[in-house]
Amino acid sequence: MMISTKGRYALRVMIDMAEHRGDGYLPLKEIAQRQEISEKYLESIIKILVQNRVLVGLRGKGGGYRLVKEPKDYTVGEILRLTEGSLAPVACADCEAEPCPRVEQCRTLPMWRGLNKVINEYLDGITVADLVASVQPGDHYVI
């Protein structure tokens, strides 16, 4: 499994929005500048997040985007599944996959299902709030 720039950038956007929650609606242009993401590409990511009710938008002067819920209520797994689709390492481990004709003889399927479970449980155990809290200002010095 390889997470694309869409998934990685979506997490950066969520962290940015969580860090600037007190600023009201955040203009797309400001988020794009802070995160060094092209506005055009960011629009496609924001669209996914708005359609799935992760963000809400407001048009016009003073408009922009904001989180619908608290940062602690969004998991990394949730955001990545919205932007990436399934996080399954192989197609047959995905819950929505068509049953494989070899399922009865497959000796690797339990391993793939186990890996899929570990991936999803791990990513669902990390919230956007956890990512915001992981680096505090002033923690960038070396002795």
Side-chain angles (χ1 to χ4, degrees):
M1 169 190 62
M2 181 80 87
I3 304 298
S4 71
T5 55
K6 186 181 288 186
R8 295 191 328 263
Y9 289 0
L11 289 173
R12 286 173 47 188
V13 166
M14 294 296 291
I15 293 166
D16 186 277
M17 296 189 92
E19 290 175 333
H20 294 91
R21 286 192 76 232
D23 299 347
Y25 285 89
L26 302 172
L28 181 93
K29 184 175 186 170
E30 289 180 14
I31 300 166
Q33 287 174 341
R34 280 193 299 266
Q35 294 303 314
E36 299 176 345
I37 301 171
S38 85
E39 283 185 58
K40 188 79 171 161
Y41 193 48
L42 187 57
E43 283 175 5
S44 68
I45 295 167
I46 295 279
K47 182 178 179 182
I48 293 168
L49 298 175
V50 169
Q51 287 174 339
N52 287 281
R53 297 181 181 92
V54 172
L55 303 178
V56 64
L58 180 66
R59 293 179 186 247
K61 186 174 175 152
Y65 299 92
R66 68 174 176 80
L67 298 175
V68 172
K69 302 183 282 188
E70 296 291 320
K72 68 178 178 56
D73 296 326
Y74 297 105
T75 69
V76 169
E78 170 189 8
I79 302 305
L80 290 178
R81 280 188 291 278
L82 289 175
T83 55
E84 299 291 326
S86 172
L87 299 175
V90 292
C92 58
D94 188 358
C95 297
E96 298 174 16
E98 291 292 320
C100 174
R102 295 187 37 84
V103 71
E104 297 300 323
Q105 313 96 290
C106 184
R107 295 186 180 184
T108 60
L109 183 58
M111 174 196 64
W112 294 125
R113 285 182 175 160
L115 179 57
N116 188 48
K117 182 179 177 192
V118 169
I119 290 168
N120 282 282
E121 286 178 357
Y122 177 75
L123 294 174
D124 286 336
I126 303 169
T127 68
V128 171
D130 295 331
L131 297 176
V132 170
S134 66
V135 176
Q136 298 297 321
D139 285 349
H140 303 290
Y141 64 92
V142 177
I143 298 176

